[in-house]
Amino acid sequence: MPANKNALIRYKTIDNCLRNRYRRWTLDDLVDACCKALYDMDGITKGVCTRTVQMDIQII
């Protein structure tokens, strides 16, 4: 279970992106998708760093 709501949003976004088998996802694409999802859901403009997405992928 994620520690907070932002982590849950990132996990769901990464999972949805990687389920799309018709596109190759790079790490930068996943970071951009997570930033966009956090902005759309909560209005968070701070963004997500690459290391955060890498750790999320390890957890998933």
Side-chain angles (χ1 to χ4, degrees):
M1 193 69 186
N4 58 28
K5 188 169 78 170
N6 294 342
L8 180 63
I9 293 169
R10 289 193 318 265
Y11 295 166
K12 286 184 176 184
T13 303
I14 292 169
D15 186 47
N16 288 335
C17 289
L18 295 179
R19 284 178 189 247
N20 182 0
R21 296 186 183 262
Y22 298 108
R23 179 174 176 194
R24 277 196 185 252
W25 292 94
T26 63
L27 188 57
D28 290 332
D29 292 337
L30 292 174
V31 169
D32 291 339
C34 287
C35 289
K36 186 176 185 310
L38 284 172
Y39 180 75
D40 291 344
M41 293 286 203
D42 287 337
I44 298 172
T45 59
K46 183 179 175 187
V48 179
C49 71
T50 307
R51 182 74 177 145
T52 303
V53 174
Q54 288 174 335
M55 294 301 291
D56 289 345
I57 291 172
Q58 282 184 344
I59 290 171
I60 292 174

